[in-house]
Amino acid sequence: MENTEFVPVRTCQSHEEAAIIQNALQDEGITCALDNDHQGGLTGVLAIRILVPADQLEKAEAFLDEHHAD
């Protein structure tokens, strides 16, 4: 089994925003995961990172640049 490296493509301040972006990426066929999602909104946790496989980073960035304002 291949060991895929996941890299951050965006950060969000809320679970809701992260979930919307995650769903949009998955609808485009881009694998993604949320990092710190279970702690989002707690004191000391500033952001939820959206992670994608390194080999899908360029596709994910292009999609988000076209469809999602930071």
Side-chain angles (χ1 to χ4, degrees), residues 5-62:
E5 176 188 4
F6 278 75
V7 295
V9 67
R10 286 288 193 276
T11 58
C12 301
Q13 301 305 311
S14 72
H15 168 77
E16 292 79 12
E17 181 184 12
I20 289 168
I21 294 171
Q22 180 183 35
N23 289 334
L25 289 170
Q26 289 174 337
D27 286 348
E28 288 297 307
I30 300 168
T31 303
C32 63
L34 302 181
D35 184 36
N36 289 331
D37 182 42
H38 61 283
Q39 296 178 9
L42 298 177
T43 302
V45 177
L46 301 178
I48 299 168
R49 296 186 318 157
I50 300 171
L51 306 173
V52 298
D55 64 350
Q56 292 185 323
L57 179 61
E58 188 174 314
K59 180 179 178 182
E61 286 177 335

